[in-house]
Each structure stands twice: as C-alpha cells, then as structure tokens.
Amino acid sequence: MDRVNELARILWDYLKLNHDMKKADAIIVFGNHDVLTAVRGIELYQDHFAPLLIFTGALGRVTEGVWEETESQKFSKMAVSAGIDRKAIRIEDKSTNTGENIIYTKRMLAEENLPITSVIAVHKPYMERRVYAALRCLWPEIDVVVSSPQLSFADYLKALTLQGFSERHTIEMMVGDFQRIDLYAKNGYQIPQPMPQCAEAAYHELLRLGYNKYVIG
C-alpha cells in the first residue's frame, strides 16, 4: 500500500492547483459525494470571498441510489444550517456531470439576470485541475480560481474513510479523473493541460496494479 500511496500522491500533486484565493462574484460548489466540499464553500462565503453561494448537481455515479436528495440540495441545507441566508444561495439540481454543472449554472444565472464575471469553483482536491479546465473551456469569459477542502493527501484519505469511502475508492477516483484530463480535452469538454511524465507514469502503474474502476474504456 505504501507504493500505491506514493503513486497516488504524485497524481494528487498534479491534479491539485493550490490557487491563491481572491474575492469573486460567486462561489460555485460542485456536487459530489464528499460533504467536505460543501464545508469549504461555506467557509469561503463566511470569510466574505463572494456574496453569492451556488450549489450545482443532481445525483452522480457515487451518490445515485444512496442519497435521498440531490447533492446540491444536501449541500445547500448544510449552508442554511451554518447560518447562511437563503437569499444568498442558489441551487441548480438537474446536472449530472461537470459539463452540465457549468452549462446549467451559467443558464440559471442568465435567466436571473445576475451579472457574474468571476467565480471561485469548489470541488474535491483531485478535481481542481479538471474543473478549472472545464470552466475555461465552457465559460471562458469569466475569471476563475479553484479551491477544495484544505487537507493534506494523507488527511484527505482519512477524512473520506470517515464518510464511508475506502482509501482504494478515493485513489480509484483520482485515477479516473486523471484520465479525463487528457480524454475530455481531446473531446472538446476542457482546455488542454500539460501532462508531466512523472504523473503519466504513476497513472499507468496504478492501472497495472488494478486501480481502474473509474477509468473509461
């Protein structure tokens, strides 16, 4: 397992962008199975990084059949419980993937005539690069920084196990998201990203070790 964690850490260091935070028009929290994502979005709102907090997402590949409410609804309830005024919250609860998260949220804001020129996108740590690349492709006119739960790789693995997700599950998710960095850029869903040789090598070794549950094809 030490070798697996070493390889996964290489992917983690590549996928996590570590942007410096700056104020924006809105914080967009992307739905997924990790409630710490919502916690991070709430923290950023409470620290006055943006006046609007948006939750986007229906049910995804991990939460479908497990959660009784959509990811965005669950996360928004957490925000209200944390004392955030409902008037500062928007919910988009129809999207089922990252591209739809962006497209449907953009459409919702246009319908409300809310002028958004900058956002903080909040996702899982290993989704930072992919959500950034997708936003730059599908919503190129806005300024974007990304954020995620502020935990080290080791602490994040532990935090997910407390939510019922094994270390293997989290690493398999990372492997799948690494593949999508290249694959989705080729399909026009994201802007291309540099691919370090060390990260590619780690990815292929993890595949050889059987960490392929969320790989496409």
Side-chain angles (χ1 to χ4, degrees):
M1 193 63 184
D2 287 346
R3 179 57 179 167
V4 169
N5 282 351
E6 179 184 345
L7 296 167
R9 176 60 186 266
I10 294 171
L11 295 191
W12 170 277
D13 288 343
Y14 167 71
L15 295 169
K16 195 170 183 301
L17 294 177
N18 300 308
H19 283 170
D20 291 330
M21 290 297 96
K22 59 183 180 180
K23 291 191 175 183
D25 294 327
I27 298 162
I28 303 177
V29 179
F30 285 71
N32 65 90
H33 63 280
D34 177 16
V35 298
L36 294 178
T37 311
V39 173
R40 178 58 177 160
I42 292 165
E43 289 173 349
L44 289 166
Y45 178 86
Q46 291 175 330
D47 288 339
H48 308 291
F49 277 98
L52 184 64
L53 182 57
I54 301 166
F55 296 99
T56 175
L59 290 169
R61 55 188 171 182
V62 179
T63 56
E64 188 172 15
V66 178
W67 289 5
E68 295 182 354
E69 57 191 341
T70 67
E71 294 160 0
S72 56
Q73 289 167 341
K74 185 180 184 73
F75 287 2
S76 67
K77 287 181 179 179
M78 291 173 62
V80 172
S81 295
I84 296 176
D85 191 333
R86 293 177 186 273
K87 294 178 181 178
I89 297 171
R90 297 293 185 278
I91 299 171
E92 183 290 300
D93 62 358
K94 300 295 187 294
S95 56
T96 58
N97 58 56
T98 304
E100 288 183 353
N101 290 154
I102 296 166
I103 293 167
Y104 294 178
T105 297
K106 183 178 179 180
R107 182 184 304 161
M108 176 184 71
L109 293 171
E111 289 172 352
E112 290 196 39
N113 197 29
L114 290 171
I116 300 295
T117 62
S118 59
V119 301
I120 299 171
V122 182
H123 216 310
K124 296 168 292 187
Y126 57 85
M127 273 291 294
E128 284 192 7
R129 184 177 292 275
R130 189 153 81 82
V131 76
Y132 174 80
L135 279 160
R136 298 311 304 140
C137 176
L138 300 173
W139 204 350
E141 63 271 26
I142 61 167
D143 184 48
V144 176
V145 295
V146 297
S147 188
S148 63
Q150 302 293 284
L151 296 171
S152 68
F153 173 62
D155 286 344
Y156 188 73
L157 288 180
K158 291 176 185 176
L160 267 291
T161 62
L162 294 175
Q163 295 184 51
F165 303 103
S166 68
E167 289 191 8
R168 184 182 183 95
H169 173 272
T170 300
I171 293 170
E172 286 179 327
M173 293 285 286
M174 289 174 59
V175 171
D177 281 316
F178 180 86
Q179 180 204 30
R180 287 162 176 78
I181 292 288
D182 180 57
L183 181 63
Y184 285 3
K186 290 176 179 176
N187 291 335
Y189 305 144
Q190 300 172 174
I191 63 169
Q193 295 289 286
M195 195 69 71
Q197 187 175 358
C198 63
E200 285 196 86
Y203 164 74
H204 287 294
E205 187 170 345
L206 284 165
L207 286 182
R208 289 193 294 271
L209 292 170
Y211 286 75
N212 58 5
K213 182 177 180 179
Y214 295 105
V215 169
I216 298 173

